[in-house]
Amino acid sequence: MSKRQIINIPDPVLRKVAVRIERVDAEVLRLADDMLESMYAAPGIGLAAPQVGVSRRLIVMDTGGDRAKPKPLIMINPQIMQLGPTTEAHEEGCLSIPDVKVEVERPTTLTVQFVDRSGKTQEMAVEGLMATVVQHEIDHLDGRLIIDYLSRLKRDIIVRRFRKQARIELSD
C-alpha cells in the first residue's frame, strides 16, 4: 500500500462523473488499498477515487471509529437502490475541502448495491453515519460536493478562497 495525495477543489476531476469499473483486478485492489491508507492518514472515514485523482467508481470507508481495530469497507460501482423515508441534517466535512463544514440533510437509511473486492455483487442496508458516508462518497462519484448543498453565494466564496490558495501554492 502507498499513500496517495488527496486533491482539493477546484481540481476539475472532482466535478467529473466517475467511470464504471468493468472488472476487479490487481490494479483496482491496489487503488482501493492505497485509498484506505490515504483515508486513515488524513484522517477521514470515507474517500472516493476522484479525491485521489482517479475518475473511477470506487469508494472506501471505515465508520467503526476504532483505529486500533479497523473495519474497512470497499465498494466498487456503488449504487443506491432505495432511500429511506426519514431525513436528518448532519454537519459534514470533506477531505477535498479542508476546514469547511456544511450542514447537509440526507436520508438516514438506504440500501446500496456494490461489487466487493472479490468481484461479487452485494446488497447492504445501512443506517446512521454509514448511510451519510455512503451518500457523501457516491456524490463524489457523480461530481457533486458538499458545497453544492449551500447557496450559490456561500459556495462561490469557498471556491474563490481555494482558487486563491492554489495560485499561491503554485507561485511558491
Side-chain angles (χ1 to χ4, degrees):
M1 288 198 293
S2 67
K3 197 170 98 176
R4 295 189 184 216
Q5 180 180 349
I6 296 172
I7 61 174
N8 292 340
I9 62 168
D11 193 303
V13 76
L14 293 171
R15 290 302 191 173
K16 288 183 182 174
V17 174
V19 177
R20 186 171 174 74
I21 294 172
E22 295 305 322
R23 72 176 198 280
V24 179
D25 56 18
E27 179 188 339
V28 169
L29 295 177
R30 187 170 34 259
L31 173 60
D33 290 340
D34 289 353
M35 287 171 57
L36 281 167
E37 184 172 330
S38 303
M39 178 192 75
Y40 287 127
I45 59 172
L47 190 66
Q51 292 180 274
V52 294
V54 179
S55 191
R56 308 279 303 275
R57 295 192 76 80
L58 170 65
I59 63 176
V60 299
M61 68 188 79
D62 187 340
T63 58
D66 184 0
R67 295 290 182 214
K69 294 180 184 170
K71 291 185 180 168
L73 181 58
I74 295 167
M75 293 185 177
I76 300 162
N77 299 327
Q79 182 178 346
I80 295 173
M81 305 306 287
Q82 183 176 4
L83 293 169
T86 309
T87 62
E88 201 170 289
H90 290 282
E91 195 175 67
E92 295 182 26
C94 180
L95 296 174
S96 292
I97 315 171
D99 304 319
V100 172
K101 300 276 190 222
V102 174
E103 185 128 320
V104 181
E105 187 159 332
R106 298 185 189 272
T108 57
T109 60
L110 61 88
T111 303
V112 61
Q113 186 179 76
F114 61 96
V115 175
D116 66 17
R117 67 180 299 133
S118 65
K120 290 188 173 64
T121 299
Q122 304 286 336
E123 198 165 286
M124 180 185 292
V126 296
E127 60 184 27
L129 178 60
M130 186 178 277
T132 298
V133 174
V134 166
Q135 291 170 83
H136 177 108
E137 300 309 332
I138 290 176
D139 272 359
H140 276 296
L141 302 182
D142 295 332
R144 275 192 308 270
L145 301 169
I146 58 172
I147 58 174
D148 296 338
Y149 293 90
L150 294 171
S151 70
R152 183 177 191 89
L153 176 65
K154 289 179 181 176
R155 182 175 57 242
D156 289 349
I157 290 168
I158 292 168
V159 170
R160 270 198 303 273
R161 187 175 88 213
F162 277 88
R163 280 195 177 121
K164 183 178 177 184
Q165 189 176 332
R167 282 193 302 270
I168 292 169
E169 289 171 4
L170 286 175
S171 66
D172 284 348

